[in-house]
Amino acid sequence: MTAQTTETVSITSAAIGQFGRYLLSARTNHFISDQRVAVGGPGEAINAGELLLSSLGSCSLGLIQKTAKEEGIALREAGSEVSFRRHATDPTQYKWIRIVVRLSGVTAGEAETLVAGFTANCPIYNTLKRGGPVGISWTVS
């Protein structure tokens, strides 16, 4: 049985003087994110949609490797490609999000077990799949 954790995870973000460019900080890790060129941003650094896809890719591989280790499955290699398409008439939605997982050194049944380890345990995947709750608040100074 895995231990349940209720830790709160936070990042900070700040506009840094160039339109469409932001400094993101997670613990002691700092990086730049840009708005897409299509909406007036610089488009050089990773953008918000790509960060979302990256989080799914990272969560998928981490949980697949964890499941392989726990189940004694000899996973040789793992990779994923995550993509989305924006909805044609409602740009506030994705028409679809797809995750393609590539595994080697395992049987089809083992692959199913590994992918199930991801889909059953990744809060990012499951929140997106269910359309989970998102709250927002603001302050003015």
Side-chain angles (χ1 to χ4, degrees):
M1 185 168 143
T2 58
Q4 296 297 317
T5 165
T6 58
E7 75 176 314
T8 299
V9 176
S10 298
I11 65 101
T12 59
S13 57
I16 56 173
Q18 178 181 355
F19 180 83
R21 177 151 289 169
Y22 315 105
L23 174 65
L24 305 175
S25 299
R27 299 178 330 276
T28 59
N29 302 293
H30 313 284
F31 60 97
I32 301 298
S33 178
D34 284 350
Q35 276 193 344
R36 297 175 297 127
V37 171
V39 293
E44 296 169 355
I46 193 168
N47 66 49
E50 293 165 337
L51 288 166
L52 174 69
L53 297 178
S54 297
S55 68
L56 284 167
S58 179
C59 197
S60 69
L61 296 179
L63 287 168
I64 285 168
Q65 286 183 324
K66 178 181 182 286
T67 303
K69 184 177 182 180
E70 290 173 350
E71 299 291 325
I73 296 172
L75 176 63
R76 191 168 49 243
E77 292 182 20
S80 65
E81 180 178 337
V82 188
S83 55
F84 65 68
R85 173 158 298 158
R86 288 183 180 268
H87 194 282
T89 58
D90 183 355
T92 68
Q93 291 187 52
Y94 295 120
K95 181 175 181 179
W96 48 257
I97 298 173
R98 293 192 181 126
I99 304 166
V100 178
V101 177
R102 296 175 316 278
L103 305 172
S104 66
V106 299
T107 66
E110 288 170 330
E112 187 174 332
T113 297
L114 296 175
V115 171
F118 158 59
T119 59
N121 294 291
C122 179
I124 301 162
Y125 170 82
N126 283 290
T127 299
L128 289 167
K129 183 179 170 187
R130 296 179 189 124
V134 176
I136 187 166
S137 63
W138 58 90
T139 60
V140 177
S141 59

